[in-house]
Amino acid sequence: MPKASHHDLRFAFRELLASGSCYHTASVFDPMSARIAADLGFEVGILGGSVASLQVLAAPDFALITLSEFVEQATRIGRVAQLPVLADADHGYGNALNVMRTVIELERAGVAALTIEDTLLPAQFGRKSTDLISVEEGVGKIRAALEARVDSALAIIARTNAGVLSTEEIIVRTQSYQKAGADGICMVGVKDFEQLEQIAEHLSVPLMLVTYANPNLRDDERLARLGVRIVVDGHAAYFAAIKATYDCLRQQRGLQHKADSLGATELSHTYTQPEDYIRWAKEYMSVEE
């Protein structure tokens, strides 16, 4: 079978957005996982910013990874991927001008789509890590992203957090990003179908949800009717890889006979050492994480 080009994969992702169905992403974090996901029939993969931070830095998701580090990982995946890969580009690694650079680099890396969020990242002095930038600045970032892309098939998706503002404020934000030309709207923090319906009725572009397997949003047919085309359940595959590595090395070391009940989440917490980062944040930034 001939290898699909990056443009082909972007067109395939556009077809998913234009369909009437809802698709769940495979969490891909390296070339091997991308090949596995495609072979198993996943329609779309996602390279998460938090996963890249874990794999590249063994660091928690505190916006520590740089654009060049993220692009390097996306490029490795892009060389072999035979399914569309959506990149979680966080805040675009800076202001609107940085967003333009981010789009240029990730397009060259071969991603099919990317999300640009309106979270105030990295967390500022004395501010919460869930604070959002103004709507106007968010619109500027989306417009800059659209200007920077060369391949018009590359999808630019605006992301916001529906869990930190009122539903009315989220409607204003998402409508503004739609008007700015975003190819889709991604939301994290949607509580249930009632809230989703209130937001979706004001939008006409395809929707993407980061649900982390929220049980209140487990109905693909209903999601599809509301315009949701992409769902991110989380990144279980990478956490399973952490657990498998730990168990394998324990066995190799001859420690399998000793009781150990650490799960993947606990292992991730242990080895990313978030307490250090939280302590540093409190000491140098006065930020509560």
Side-chain angles (χ1 to χ4, degrees):
M1 182 179 294
K3 188 177 186 297
S5 69
H6 293 156
H7 179 78
D8 293 336
L9 294 173
R10 289 167 188 151
F11 184 76
F13 184 80
R14 290 275 183 173
E15 289 187 319
L16 298 182
L17 293 183
S19 74
S21 301
C22 178
Y23 301 92
H24 291 257
T25 60
S27 180
V28 298
F29 45 85
D30 63 6
M32 184 67 76
S33 60
R35 281 181 170 164
I36 291 171
D39 184 62
L40 292 176
F42 277 90
E43 295 85 4
V44 59
I46 183 169
L47 172 59
S50 60
V51 171
S53 184
L54 281 169
Q55 187 167 46
V56 175
L57 302 175
D61 189 20
F62 289 175
L64 298 170
I65 193 169
T66 65
L67 172 60
S68 59
E69 290 167 330
F70 187 75
V71 168
E72 284 176 4
Q73 197 65 0
T75 301
R76 294 183 185 104
I77 294 170
R79 289 192 189 109
V80 306
Q82 287 297 282
L83 81 169
V85 174
L86 191 157
D88 168 13
D90 286 340
H91 62 317
Y93 298 91
N95 60 27
L97 300 184
N98 297 110
V99 167
M100 298 182 80
R101 173 75 189 281
T102 296
V103 171
I104 291 168
E105 298 297 340
L106 285 175
E107 182 173 338
R108 289 174 177 170
V111 304
L114 57 90
T115 57
I116 298 292
E117 65 185 82
D118 55 9
T119 311
L120 181 62
L121 294 175
Q124 304 296 300
F125 184 90
R127 303 288 293 273
K128 295 179 180 179
S129 58
T130 54
D131 285 345
L132 305 185
I133 59 177
S134 69
V135 176
E136 293 76 16
E137 186 176 356
V139 166
K141 285 189 170 188
I142 297 306
R143 292 178 58 229
L146 295 168
E147 173 68 22
R149 73 179 174 190
V150 175
D151 186 351
S152 60
L154 176 71
I156 305 295
I157 299 175
R159 170 173 162 166
T160 193
N161 191 329
V164 300
L165 295 175
S166 69
T167 299
E168 291 72 21
E169 289 173 300
I170 292 300
I171 289 171
V172 170
R173 279 186 178 257
T174 53
Q175 283 187 310
S176 298
Y177 299 153
Q178 174 177 274
K179 186 176 180 180
D183 297 305
I185 300 293
C186 173
M187 289 178 286
V188 63
V190 174
K191 293 176 292 187
D192 50 34
F193 275 106
E194 181 179 357
Q195 184 185 27
L196 178 60
E197 287 171 354
Q198 292 175 17
I199 299 170
E201 70 174 327
H202 297 277
L203 301 170
S204 58
V205 294
L207 303 181
M208 171 180 167
L209 294 183
V210 181
T211 68
Y212 298 112
N214 180 351
N216 296 321
L217 293 169
R218 287 182 180 171
D219 185 336
D220 285 356
E221 290 186 4
R222 190 174 179 185
L223 289 172
R225 288 197 298 271
L226 291 171
V228 177
R229 298 293 171 257
I230 307 294
V231 173
V232 181
D233 299 306
H235 301 286
Y238 186 67
F239 288 99
I242 293 173
K243 174 64 172 171
T245 300
Y246 180 76
D247 289 343
C248 180
L249 292 178
R250 286 188 77 247
Q251 182 176 7
Q252 182 181 340
R253 196 64 178 165
L255 300 174
Q256 71 272 22
H257 62 282
K258 295 184 179 180
D260 192 324
S261 59
L262 287 178
T265 302
E266 294 169 300
L267 287 168
S268 174
H269 182 90
T270 297
Y271 292 113
T272 58
Q273 302 171 344
E275 292 84 3
D276 286 342
Y277 293 95
I278 292 171
R279 175 170 55 83
W280 294 329
K282 288 180 178 179
E283 183 171 355
Y284 305 127
M285 297 170 56
S286 298
V287 172
E288 292 288 342
E289 291 289 352

